[in-house]
Amino acid sequence: PIYSPDSSRYDNGMKYRRCGRSGILLPEISLGLWHNFGDVNTFANSQAMAHHAFDKGITHFDLANNYGPSYGSAEETFGMIMKKSFMPYRDELFISTKAGHDMWPGPYGEWGSRKYLMTSLNQSLRRMNLDYVDIFYSHRYDPDTPLEETLQTLVDIVRQGKALYVGISKYPKAAAEFAYRYLAERDVHCLLYQGRYNIFNREPEEEGILQQAKENGTGFIAFSPLAQGLLTNRYLNGIPDDSRIAKGGFLKKEALTDETLKKIKALNEVATQRGQTLAEMALAWLLKDDMVTSVIIGASSVAQLDDNLQSIKNTKFTAEELEKINQIDSL
Ligand code: NDP
């Protein structure tokens, strides 16, 4: 059947936030394709999640060259979805990709060289059936490549029209400062900083990355907002067979210590008192003020996606709730 999106997709409760000093609004919830969209996953489920997301007003899809597994396959899956259903809506979508991590063998398949970034983006565009991406990121700071080389490549990518905007991910604060200035001096605004941020990982707040982005007019978009699933009800009663830990990926069994499980259970209590699931509360916590533009969630089912979408209905916290969450986190 030919996909036809929900005609009330912009009246389904999604809220949009301005991304720093820019013309772009992003949905409070964005969908990441790191897991569950590879060639190891069923296309039907990946497609169902993408369709459902768009039907609910999620306009931003976050990808990277090596998402899968296998490398490149999440972009291929997305490319198929583009071709089969999303192409008529291309201009309603805000699509990202990145290069920086391991992608192909040899010296030119990772890090921050011009050679790698340019050729990787060309490959990504082909896989996704796109002429351009909305935002292209330097996926990680490369301590060995001159930062000027990486950043000039971002500038040139914009000039070539292969990306409308650029961003940086996981850059240390000093490198981010350099990047914001270098890009701005060339009239290319850095639209987004993408960093890991959740109740268990407060680095962007503690290191001043959030404040720095704000001062530079750059939006902040949070990845792994659920700590890869730890900040949900997923592991409350053991490790389910179909979970990320059981499947053996980046989330290791060792991450689920007795200490962490204790915290998860205590946080789950706070969530229940708020009338939210733990996942909903964890996302709402990130959206409680204007420091975060959007959260990029991962999901392995439409049901999880739906749960996560509920979070935006209540992003207000009392001082007592915030204090309680901090206490639990520092247990
Ligand atoms: P999350 O922290 O949102 O974790 C997603 C996982 O949590 C899901 O796969 C699922 O696990 C579980 N989950 C999600 N919703 C629920 C729910 N409502 N109830 C129960 N369990 C739930 O994010 P990710 O770690 O997946 O990262 C999100 C995105 O961020 C990525 O897709 C990518 O786009 C981006 N990212 C960027 C990085 C960077 O370096 N810039 C690094 C990492 C991610 P399960 O599979 O077990 O069901």
Side-chain angles (χ1 to χ4, degrees), residues 9 19 28 37 63 65-66 70-71 88 121-122 131 137 141 150 153 165 174 221 247 255 272 288-290:
R9 59 190 172 280
C19 189
E28 290 186 340
F37 289 81
L63 292 106
N65 55 358
N66 66 356
S70 57
Y71 289 178
L121 176 55
N122 288 339
D131 304 321
Y137 291 92
Y141 170 66
T150 305
T153 308
Y165 300 89
I221 187 159
K247 285 193 225 153
T272 305
K288 65 191 179 303
D289 53 36
D290 66 353

Coordinates of all heavy atoms in Angstrom, one line a residue, residues 9 19 28 37 63 65-66 70-71 88 121-122 131 137 141 150 153 165 174 221 247 255 272 288-290:
R9 N -0.8 15.5 11.2 CA 0.5 15.2 11.8 C 1.0 16.4 12.6 O 1.8 16.3 13.5 CB 1.5 14.7 10.8 CG 1.8 15.6 9.6 CD 2.6 14.9 8.6 NE 2.7 15.6 7.3 CZ 1.8 15.6 6.4 NH1 0.6 15.0 6.5 NH2 2.0 16.3 5.2
C19 N 15.9 26.3 17.1 CA 17.3 25.8 17.3 C 18.3 26.9 17.3 O 18.7 27.4 16.3 CB 17.5 24.9 16.1 SG 19.0 23.9 16.2
E28 N 10.4 18.4 19.6 CA 11.0 18.1 20.9 C 11.6 16.7 20.9 O 12.6 16.4 21.5 CB 10.0 18.4 22.0 CG 9.7 19.9 22.2 CD 8.8 20.2 23.4 OE1 8.1 19.3 23.9 OE2 8.8 21.3 23.8
F37 N 17.5 -0.1 12.6 CA 17.2 0.2 11.2 C 18.3 -0.4 10.3 O 18.3 -0.1 9.1 CB 17.2 1.7 11.0 CG 16.0 2.4 11.6 CD1 15.9 2.7 13.0 CD2 14.9 2.7 10.9 CE1 14.8 3.2 13.6 CE2 13.7 3.2 11.4 CZ 13.7 3.5 12.8
L63 N 20.8 10.3 11.4 CA 21.6 9.2 10.9 C 23.1 9.5 11.0 O 23.5 10.6 11.3 CB 21.2 8.9 9.5 CG 19.7 8.3 9.3 CD1 18.8 9.4 8.7 CD2 19.7 7.1 8.5
N65 N 26.9 7.7 8.9 CA 27.3 6.8 7.9 C 27.4 5.4 8.3 O 27.0 4.5 7.6 CB 28.7 7.3 7.4 CG 29.8 7.4 8.5 OD1 29.5 7.2 9.6 ND2 31.0 7.8 8.1
N66 N 27.8 5.1 9.6 CA 28.0 3.7 10.0 C 26.9 3.1 10.8 O 27.1 2.0 11.3 CB 29.4 3.6 10.7 CG 29.4 4.3 12.0 OD1 28.4 5.0 12.4 ND2 30.5 4.2 12.7
S70 N 24.8 -3.8 9.3 CA 26.2 -3.4 9.0 C 26.3 -1.9 8.7 O 25.3 -1.3 8.4 CB 26.7 -4.2 7.8 OG 25.8 -4.0 6.7
Y71 N 27.5 -1.5 8.7 CA 27.8 -0.1 8.4 C 27.0 0.3 7.1 O 27.1 -0.4 6.1 CB 29.3 0.2 8.1 CG 30.2 0.1 9.3 CD1 31.6 0.2 9.2 CD2 29.7 -0.2 10.6 CE1 32.4 0.2 10.2 CE2 30.6 -0.2 11.7 CZ 31.9 -0.1 11.5 OH 32.8 -0.1 12.6
P88 N 7.7 12.4 -1.5 CA 6.8 13.6 -1.7 C 6.9 14.6 -0.5 O 6.4 15.7 -0.6 CB 5.4 13.0 -1.7 CG 5.6 11.5 -2.0 CD 6.9 11.2 -1.4
L121 N 30.2 11.7 2.9 CA 29.0 12.3 2.6 C 28.4 12.0 1.3 O 27.2 11.7 1.1 CB 29.1 13.9 2.8 CG 27.8 14.7 2.5 CD1 26.6 14.2 3.3 CD2 28.0 16.2 2.7
N122 N 29.3 11.9 0.3 CA 28.8 11.5 -1.1 C 28.2 10.1 -1.0 O 27.1 9.8 -1.6 CB 30.0 11.5 -2.1 CG 30.4 12.9 -2.4 OD1 29.6 13.8 -2.3 ND2 31.6 13.1 -2.9
D131 N 19.6 14.3 -2.5 CA 20.5 15.3 -3.1 C 21.3 16.1 -2.1 O 22.4 16.6 -2.4 CB 19.7 16.3 -4.0 CG 18.8 15.7 -5.0 OD1 19.2 14.7 -5.6 OD2 17.7 16.1 -5.1
Y137 N 27.2 16.5 10.2 CA 28.0 16.7 11.4 C 29.4 16.1 11.3 O 29.6 15.0 10.7 CB 27.4 15.9 12.6 CG 26.2 16.3 13.2 CD1 25.0 15.8 12.8 CD2 26.1 17.2 14.3 CE1 23.8 16.1 13.4 CE2 24.9 17.5 15.0 CZ 23.7 17.0 14.5 OH 22.6 17.3 15.1
Y141 N 35.5 14.8 17.5 CA 36.7 15.7 17.5 C 37.9 14.8 17.1 O 38.1 13.7 17.7 CB 36.9 16.4 18.8 CG 38.2 17.1 18.9 CD1 38.6 18.2 18.1 CD2 39.2 16.6 19.8 CE1 39.8 18.8 18.2 CE2 40.4 17.3 19.9 CZ 40.7 18.4 19.1 OH 41.9 19.0 19.2
T150 N 39.1 20.1 9.1 CA 37.8 19.5 9.3 C 36.7 20.6 9.1 O 35.7 20.4 8.4 CB 37.7 18.9 10.7 OG1 38.7 18.0 10.9 CG2 36.3 18.2 10.9
T153 N 36.2 21.9 5.6 CA 35.4 20.9 4.8 C 33.9 21.1 5.1 O 33.1 21.0 4.1 CB 35.8 19.5 5.2 OG1 37.3 19.4 5.1 CG2 35.2 18.5 4.3
Y165 N 23.0 22.9 6.6 CA 23.6 23.3 7.9 C 24.6 22.3 8.3 O 24.7 21.2 7.8 CB 22.5 23.4 9.0 CG 21.4 24.3 8.7 CD1 20.2 23.9 8.0 CD2 21.4 25.7 9.1 CE1 19.2 24.8 7.7 CE2 20.4 26.5 8.8 CZ 19.2 26.1 8.2 OH 18.2 26.9 7.9
A174 N 36.8 23.4 24.4 CA 37.8 24.3 23.7 C 37.7 24.1 22.2 O 37.7 25.1 21.4 CB 39.2 24.0 24.2
I221 N 21.3 19.2 20.9 CA 20.4 18.1 20.7 C 21.0 16.9 21.5 O 22.2 16.6 21.4 CB 20.2 17.8 19.2 CG1 19.1 16.7 19.0 CG2 21.4 17.5 18.5 CD1 18.5 16.8 17.7
K247 N 21.1 -8.3 23.2 CA 21.5 -8.5 21.8 C 23.0 -8.2 21.6 O 23.6 -8.5 20.6 CB 20.8 -7.5 20.9 CG 19.3 -7.9 20.6 CD 18.7 -7.1 19.5 CE 17.3 -6.7 19.8 NZ 16.9 -5.4 19.2
A255 N 27.0 -2.6 32.5 CA 26.4 -1.3 32.8 C 25.3 -1.4 33.8 O 25.0 -0.5 34.5 CB 25.9 -0.6 31.5
T272 N 6.4 7.2 38.5 CA 5.0 6.7 38.8 C 4.2 7.8 39.6 O 3.1 8.0 39.2 CB 5.1 5.4 39.7 OG1 5.9 4.5 39.0 CG2 3.7 4.8 39.9
K288 N 12.9 20.0 30.4 CA 12.3 20.8 31.4 C 12.5 22.3 31.3 O 11.8 23.2 31.8 CB 12.7 20.4 32.8 CG 14.2 20.6 33.1 CD 14.7 19.8 34.3 CE 16.2 20.0 34.6 NZ 17.0 19.5 33.5
D289 N 13.6 22.7 30.6 CA 13.9 24.1 30.3 C 14.4 24.3 28.9 O 14.2 23.3 28.1 CB 14.9 24.7 31.3 CG 16.2 23.8 31.3 OD1 16.6 23.4 30.3 OD2 16.8 23.7 32.4
D290 N 14.9 25.5 28.5 CA 15.1 25.7 27.1 C 16.6 25.4 26.7 O 17.0 25.8 25.7 CB 14.8 27.1 26.7 CG 15.7 28.1 27.4 OD1 16.5 27.7 28.3 OD2 15.6 29.3 27.1

